[in-house]
Amino acid sequence: MNIHEYQAKALFEKYGIAIPKGAPAKSAAEFDAAIAQIPDGVCVVKSQIHAGGRGKGTFTDGFQGGVKVCKGGKAEAKEIAAKMLGNTLVTKQTGPAGRKVQTIYFTEANQIKKEYYLAILLDRASSRPVIVASTEGGMEIEKVAEETPEKIFKIFIDPGYGLADFQARELVFKLGLNPAEQKNAIKLLRALYTMFWETDASMIEINPLITQPDGAVLALDAKVSLDDNALYRHPDLVALRDLNEEDPKEIEASKANLSYIALDGNIACLVNGAGLAMSTMDIIKHYGGNPANFLDVGGGASKEQVMAAFKIILTDPNVKGILVNIFGGIMDCDVIAHGVVAAAKEIGLGLPLVVRLEGNNAAAGKKTLADSGLKLVSGDSMADAAQKIVKLVA
Ligand code: GDP
Ligand code: MN
């Protein structure tokens, strides 16, 4: 789960990571009260969407920049905010459809001595948290990694010890900070690690992290991703979820306890098990098709879940055919078959449907499908089923 910059910064404040003063507003009526909370003078207006690259983004009405520094102070900030709120911002990360801005964050503008990049995430190869930092802040880190990898520094943290003092010192030396900055940066690094650990975050990214002429070190931006599997331990963080930023199909799927990810192809897949779901997508591609989604109904799906899965799949207007691929280990194939039949009858399925059932109670499942009177094609193997649906959709 991702959260907004203003929410992430409230967490920063709680953990002692220094941030500029700021306040959010969700409607034009709240602008004055929010602006009143920041000091007079130059300020920054920031569109709140779950995507990066806002600064260089463009709104669909042509207005440039989802992050604006307002030299004209609060009066200008209010005008700019009115142009952003309700408008749709397109950035490198949003895709061409963009995201509607429903919250504005006002912050004081800070004098920047230098911009840095700082992030902490889980390194899956070494199974430990890694802090990634660079002297090249404010830029795309992927570009820095490609062109000047020597400007990126990493520290791998032993989760048993936590962040060691010598590691934090080594990093601030490598970043070339002066003594006053070092002291503040080390404090910030410790706070960052504690927050990462305690919130069960999968990533916290600060780009840019800035130094100021007086030695202060501040987080100007904040992107936080939380581990969905740990959210049950954090009701306070779950409350930060913004459904406006999520695909409605994925929200429906999570309500039915299904793992669903929308993709941009036209062959919908309904599969049990994440590994089988991935290999199903692969084999569709292999035979020249394009999967419309990843959908894992789990090892022990009920008839109701299968029906919910079908309904979700069919709300995607791009879907031109469906492939059901079930390997019954724990799963009873006949339960899936009944779910498919009930859903198809209720919805009045008009699309080509290929079903491959294998394993536990497959014979009964195939009989249920055959007796249903539904127009469907059965696949004998994964390869056979994939080729059939690709052909039907073409
Ligand atoms: P992003 O484009 O989505 O990553 O949004 P950011 O929050 O990183 O803002 C984009 C850029 O605006 C930053 O890289 C900064 O260069 C600039 N910016 C943001 N806040 C301030 C500020 O307080 N003062 C100044 N001078 N520039 C800022
Ligand atoms: Mn940024």
Side-chain angles (χ1 to χ4, degrees):
M1 184 182 101
N2 295 327
I3 59 175
H4 286 293
E5 175 195 4
Y6 78 93
Q7 298 168 322
K9 281 185 171 167
L11 289 171
F12 280 7
E13 201 159 32
K14 181 178 150 199
Y15 281 94
I17 297 170
I19 53 162
K21 277 203 175 58
K26 288 187 190 295
S27 68
E30 293 174 20
F31 286 170
D32 285 326
I35 292 172
Q37 293 180 51
I38 60 172
D40 287 328
V42 185
C43 53
V44 187
V45 183
K46 310 187 78 170
S47 307
Q48 299 294 290
I49 56 169
H50 285 186
R54 293 166 301 164
K56 294 198 178 87
T58 306
F59 289 92
T60 44
D61 68 352
F63 186 71
Q64 286 284 327
V67 174
K68 287 274 200 191
V69 179
C70 301
K71 297 220 167 74
K74 293 183 170 181
E76 187 190 351
K78 201 172 154 180
E79 267 172 46
I80 300 270
K83 288 182 182 152
M84 290 179 180
L85 190 68
N87 207 341
T88 300
L89 180 60
V90 180
T91 81
K92 264 190 170 173
Q93 292 182 9
T94 59
R99 292 278 175 81
K100 191 172 169 191
V101 177
Q102 315 213 29
T103 306
I104 301 290
Y105 189 47
F106 296 96
T107 77
E108 62 177 330
N110 298 88
Q111 222 188 324
I112 301 175
K113 184 181 156 204
K114 183 170 164 55
E115 294 184 319
Y116 298 84
Y117 175 93
L118 178 65
I120 178 164
L121 58 152
L122 194 67
D123 178 59
R124 289 172 197 279
S126 61
S127 310
R128 44 185 66 189
V130 58
I131 291 181
V132 180
S134 174
T135 49
E136 308 307 293
M139 301 185 31
E140 278 171 59
I141 197 68
E142 292 83 1
K143 216 169 156 203
V144 181
E146 209 167 284
E147 291 166 9
T148 48
E150 71 282 1
K151 288 182 177 163
I152 295 182
F153 310 110
K154 291 184 181 174
I155 26 181
F156 294 89
I157 301 168
D158 184 325
Y161 288 112
L163 175 66
D165 287 347
F166 78 88
Q167 292 181 304
R169 277 200 300 276
E170 195 182 337
L171 187 69
V172 300
F173 293 156
K174 282 183 177 159
L175 291 175
L177 303 182
N178 70 33
E181 293 164 353
Q182 285 172 15
K183 195 169 143 252
N184 291 321
I186 288 173
K187 182 170 166 260
L188 188 143
L189 284 170
R190 285 216 187 87
L192 179 73
Y193 181 73
T194 306
M195 174 172 158
F196 176 79
W197 192 258
E198 290 185 359
T199 59
D200 288 307
S202 42
M203 188 197 70
I204 303 175
E205 186 186 56
I206 304 174
N207 189 22
L209 176 81
I210 60 152
T211 51
Q212 297 194 281
D214 65 357
V217 179
L218 294 184
L220 278 210
D221 193 7
K223 299 223 179 336
V224 172
S225 303
L226 302 165
D227 183 346
D228 291 346
N229 293 314
L231 283 174
Y232 73 96
R233 306 205 283 200
H234 305 286
D236 52 328
L237 299 178
V238 173
L240 303 178
R241 185 168 174 195
D242 182 354
L243 295 178
N244 291 319
E245 295 287 332
E246 297 178 26
D247 185 318
K249 298 192 288 302
E250 291 177 17
I251 296 169
E252 279 307 309
S254 75
K255 279 191 207 154
N257 257 321
L258 303 164
S259 308
Y260 172 91
I261 309 287
L263 300 167
D264 42 21
N266 58 8
I267 299 176
C269 324
L270 189 156
V271 188
N272 66 324
L276 188 61
M278 286 195 277
S279 44
T280 303
M281 294 178 353
D282 281 351
I283 202 157
I284 288 172
K285 279 259 182 200
H286 180 74
Y287 288 113
N290 264 312
N293 64 274
F294 167 96
L295 172 57
D296 170 13
V297 297
S302 64
K303 182 177 146 192
E304 287 68 32
Q305 277 179 302
V306 174
M307 286 182 68
F310 249 85
K311 287 181 189 161
I312 292 161
I313 282 176
L314 291 170
T315 55
D316 179 347
N318 294 328
V319 169
K320 297 286 178 275
I322 304 170
L323 172 58
V324 176
N325 184 15
I326 301 297
F327 183 83
I330 305 166
M331 188 80 228
D332 178 338
C333 288
D334 199 30
V335 169
I336 291 278
H338 276 109
V340 170
V341 171
K345 288 204 165 146
E346 191 186 318
I347 305 160
L349 184 70
L351 298 172
L353 170 66
V354 175
V355 182
R356 178 239 178 181
L357 296 176
E358 204 59 77
N360 181 14
N361 220 8
K366 285 178 185 167
K367 186 167 182 318
T368 300
L369 293 175
D371 293 349
S372 69
L374 280 179
K375 258 179 68 187
L376 56 85
V377 178
S378 89
D380 299 327
S381 65
M382 228 168 118
D384 179 54
Q387 288 174 76
K388 281 176 173 159
I389 191 65
V390 170
K391 207 165 160 197
L392 284 166
V393 164

